[in-house]
Coordinates of all heavy atoms in Angstrom, one line a residue:
R822 N 106.1 1.5 -69.2 CA 106.9 2.6 -69.1 C 108.4 2.3 -69.4 O 109.1 2.9 -70.1 CB 106.8 3.3 -67.7 CG 107.7 4.5 -67.6 CD 107.5 5.3 -66.3 NE 107.6 4.5 -65.1 CZ 106.6 4.1 -64.4 NH1 105.4 4.4 -64.7 NH2 106.8 3.4 -63.3
L832 N 116.9 6.5 -77.8 CA 116.8 7.1 -79.1 C 117.3 8.6 -79.0 O 118.1 9.1 -79.8 CB 115.3 7.1 -79.6 CG 115.0 7.7 -80.9 CD1 115.5 6.9 -82.0 CD2 113.4 7.8 -81.0
E848 N 108.5 5.9 -84.4 CA 107.3 5.2 -84.9 C 107.4 3.7 -84.5 O 106.5 3.1 -84.0 CB 107.2 5.3 -86.4 CG 106.5 6.4 -86.9 CD 106.5 6.5 -88.5 OE1 106.7 5.5 -89.1 OE2 106.2 7.6 -89.0
K869 N 106.2 16.2 -86.4 CA 107.0 16.8 -87.5 C 106.6 18.3 -87.7 O 107.4 19.1 -87.9 CB 106.8 16.0 -88.8 CG 107.6 14.7 -88.8 CD 107.3 13.9 -90.1 CE 108.1 12.6 -90.1 NZ 107.7 11.8 -91.2
K873 N 108.9 21.6 -87.1 CA 109.2 22.6 -88.2 C 108.7 24.0 -87.7 O 109.5 24.9 -87.9 CB 108.3 22.1 -89.4 CG 108.9 22.7 -90.7 CD 108.3 21.9 -91.9 CE 108.6 22.6 -93.2 NZ 107.8 22.1 -94.3
I877 N 112.7 23.1 -84.1 CA 113.4 22.4 -83.1 C 114.4 21.5 -83.7 O 114.2 20.8 -84.7 CB 112.3 21.5 -82.3 CG1 111.4 22.4 -81.6 CG2 113.0 20.5 -81.4 CD1 110.2 21.6 -81.0
D885 N 109.8 15.9 -75.1 CA 108.8 16.6 -74.2 C 107.5 16.9 -74.9 O 106.5 17.0 -74.2 CB 109.5 18.0 -73.8 CG 110.7 17.7 -72.9 OD1 110.7 16.6 -72.3 OD2 111.5 18.6 -72.7
E899 N 86.3 13.6 -79.2 CA 85.3 12.9 -78.5 C 85.5 13.2 -77.0 O 86.6 13.3 -76.5 CB 85.5 11.4 -78.6 CG 85.1 10.9 -80.0 CD 85.4 9.5 -80.2 OE1 84.6 8.6 -79.9 OE2 86.5 9.1 -80.6
V918 N 80.3 -7.7 -69.8 CA 80.4 -8.7 -70.8 C 81.9 -8.8 -71.1 O 82.7 -8.0 -70.8 CB 79.7 -8.3 -72.1 CG1 78.2 -8.2 -71.9 CG2 80.2 -7.0 -72.7
I929 N 84.4 -7.3 -61.3 CA 83.1 -7.2 -60.6 C 83.4 -7.1 -59.1 O 82.8 -6.2 -58.4 CB 82.1 -8.3 -60.9 CG1 81.7 -8.3 -62.4 CG2 80.9 -8.3 -60.0 CD1 80.9 -9.5 -62.9
F936 N 82.5 0.4 -54.5 CA 81.1 1.0 -54.2 C 80.9 0.8 -52.7 O 80.3 1.7 -52.1 CB 80.0 0.3 -55.0 CG 80.0 0.8 -56.4 CD1 80.0 -0.1 -57.5 CD2 79.9 2.1 -56.7 CE1 80.0 0.3 -58.8 CE2 79.9 2.6 -58.1 CZ 79.9 1.6 -59.1
G940 N 80.1 3.5 -49.3 CA 78.9 3.4 -48.5 C 77.7 3.0 -49.2 O 76.5 3.1 -48.7
G967 N 82.1 -8.9 -49.0 CA 81.0 -8.8 -48.0 C 79.7 -8.3 -48.7 O 79.0 -7.4 -48.2
Y984 N 66.2 -11.4 -63.2 CA 64.9 -11.0 -62.6 C 64.9 -11.2 -61.1 O 64.6 -10.3 -60.4 CB 63.8 -11.9 -63.2 CG 62.4 -11.6 -62.7 CD1 61.7 -10.5 -63.2 CD2 61.9 -12.3 -61.6 CE1 60.4 -10.2 -62.7 CE2 60.6 -12.0 -61.1 CZ 59.9 -10.9 -61.7 OH 58.7 -10.6 -61.1
Q988 N 64.6 -8.2 -58.1 CA 63.7 -8.3 -56.9 C 64.4 -8.3 -55.6 O 64.0 -7.6 -54.7 CB 62.8 -9.6 -57.0 CG 62.1 -9.8 -58.3 CD 61.4 -8.6 -58.9 OE1 60.8 -7.8 -58.2 NE2 61.5 -8.4 -60.2
D996 N 71.8 -0.2 -53.9 CA 72.0 0.9 -54.7 C 72.6 0.5 -56.1 O 72.3 1.1 -57.1 CB 73.1 1.8 -54.1 CG 72.7 2.3 -52.7 OD1 71.7 3.0 -52.7 OD2 73.3 2.0 -51.7
Q1007 N 82.3 -17.6 -79.0 CA 82.4 -18.7 -80.0 C 81.1 -18.8 -80.7 O 81.1 -19.2 -81.9 CB 82.8 -20.1 -79.4 CG 83.9 -20.1 -78.4 CD 83.5 -19.7 -77.0 OE1 82.9 -18.7 -76.8 NE2 83.8 -20.6 -76.0
A1030 N 67.4 1.0 -67.6 CA 68.5 0.1 -67.3 C 68.7 -0.9 -68.4 O 67.8 -1.2 -69.2 CB 68.1 -0.6 -65.9
H1032 N 72.2 0.6 -66.9 CA 72.8 1.9 -67.1 C 74.2 1.9 -67.7 O 74.6 3.0 -68.2 CB 72.8 2.6 -65.7 CG 71.4 2.6 -65.1 ND1 70.9 1.7 -64.2 CD2 70.4 3.5 -65.3 CE1 69.7 1.9 -63.9 NE2 69.3 3.0 -64.5
T1057 N 76.4 -6.4 -79.1 CA 75.6 -5.6 -78.1 C 76.1 -4.2 -78.0 O 77.3 -3.9 -78.5 CB 75.6 -6.3 -76.7 OG1 74.6 -5.6 -75.9 CG2 76.9 -6.2 -76.1
T1065 N 91.9 -4.8 -68.3 CA 92.5 -5.4 -67.1 C 94.0 -5.8 -67.4 O 94.4 -5.8 -68.6 CB 91.8 -6.7 -66.7 OG1 91.9 -7.7 -67.8 CG2 90.3 -6.5 -66.5
L1067 N 96.8 -4.4 -67.0 CA 97.7 -3.4 -67.6 C 99.1 -3.6 -66.9 O 100.1 -3.2 -67.5 CB 97.1 -2.0 -67.4 CG 97.5 -1.0 -68.4 CD1 97.2 -1.4 -69.8 CD2 96.7 0.3 -68.1
F1089 N 87.7 2.1 -66.8 CA 88.6 1.6 -65.7 C 89.7 0.8 -66.2 O 89.6 0.2 -67.3 CB 87.8 0.7 -64.7 CG 86.8 1.5 -63.8 CD1 85.5 1.6 -64.2 CD2 87.2 2.0 -62.6 CE1 84.6 2.3 -63.4 CE2 86.3 2.7 -61.8 CZ 85.0 2.8 -62.2
G1093 N 96.2 -5.0 -61.1 CA 96.7 -6.0 -60.2 C 95.6 -6.9 -59.8 O 94.4 -6.7 -60.3
D1098 N 93.0 -2.9 -56.7 CA 93.8 -2.7 -57.9 C 92.9 -2.3 -59.1 O 93.2 -2.8 -60.2 CB 94.6 -3.9 -58.2 CG 95.7 -4.1 -57.2 OD1 96.2 -3.1 -56.7 OD2 96.2 -5.3 -57.1
N1103 N 92.3 7.8 -66.5 CA 92.5 9.2 -66.7 C 93.6 9.4 -67.7 O 94.7 9.0 -67.5 CB 92.9 9.9 -65.4 CG 93.3 11.3 -65.5 OD1 94.2 11.7 -66.3 ND2 92.7 12.2 -64.7
V1108 N 99.1 8.9 -69.8 CA 100.2 9.2 -70.8 C 101.4 9.7 -70.0 O 102.5 9.3 -70.3 CB 99.7 10.3 -71.8 CG1 100.9 10.7 -72.6 CG2 98.6 9.7 -72.7

Side-chain angles (χ1 to χ4, degrees):
R822 180 171 56 252
L832 177 72
E848 270 176 19
K869 283 179 179 170
K873 205 166 170 191
I877 293 171
D885 292 340
E899 289 175 89
V918 299
I929 293 173
F936 284 127
Y984 181 83
Q988 307 314 319
D996 303 296
Q1007 311 86 304
H1032 303 94
T1057 190
T1065 64
L1067 209 52
F1089 287 93
D1098 288 334
N1103 173 306
V1108 174

